Amino acid sequence: SESDSIYYYVLLAVYNDTGKTIYVSDEYDTTSVNGTMVDETTYSTVVEPGQVGIMKYGITKSSLEDADIDTEDIKTIKFQLNIGSGSYYNYIATPKLTISKK
C-alpha cells in the first residue's frame, strides 16, 4: 500500500479473462476496516481482454482517525467492486472482497 496526505491506498491487480473490455469501479459506501464503515475513493480502471489492470483503492485517513484505527491495527478491509462490460453501469459482476492481514 501507499499513501498521500488524505488517503491510504491498496493497489489491486485486476486480470480480465473475458473476451470483452471490462470497467472496474467500487460500490460506494461498502468499505469497512475491522468491521467499521469508512470512507473510500477509487480510481476506476479499464482492462482489455487478456490484460491486467491496476486499480488504486483509497481509504480516507480521517475516517480511520474517527474510528480510532491506526494503520498497524488493520486486520481486514471489506468492499464491493462493480465490473461492467459495454459500459461502466452494465454490471456483469459485483464481487464482495475481503483483504486480511495476519
Side-chain angles (χ1 to χ4, degrees):
S1 71
E2 56 182 64
S3 70
D4 61 25
S5 61
I6 301 173
Y7 301 104
Y8 291 106
Y9 293 104
V10 175
L11 300 178
L12 304 173
V14 180
Y15 174 65
N16 181 358
D17 64 354
T18 73
K20 300 178 181 178
T21 300
I22 60 171
Y23 307 89
V24 185
S25 61
D26 72 314
E27 176 65 27
Y28 179 71
D29 221 12
T30 64
T31 303
S32 68
V33 173
N34 298 349
T36 301
M37 297 303 290
V38 295
D39 295 327
E40 82 289 330
T41 189
T42 303
Y43 293 87
S44 300
T45 190
V46 177
V47 186
E48 298 298 328
Q51 300 295 309
V52 174
I54 300 298
M55 185 172 179
K56 202 171 182 182
Y57 198 90
I59 298 170
T60 62
K61 290 182 179 181
S62 62
S63 66
L64 288 179
E65 290 167 0
D66 290 347
D68 199 26
I69 299 172
D70 292 324
T71 55
E72 298 82 29
D73 298 329
I74 294 174
K75 300 288 185 225
T76 61
I77 302 171
K78 294 183 179 188
F79 55 94
Q80 179 180 319
L81 294 179
N82 293 324
I83 302 172
S85 178
S87 77
Y88 275 98
Y89 303 107
N90 180 28
Y91 301 141
I92 58 173
T94 55
K96 293 178 181 174
L97 304 176
T98 301
I99 298 173
S100 297
K101 179 178 138 185
K102 293 184 179 187

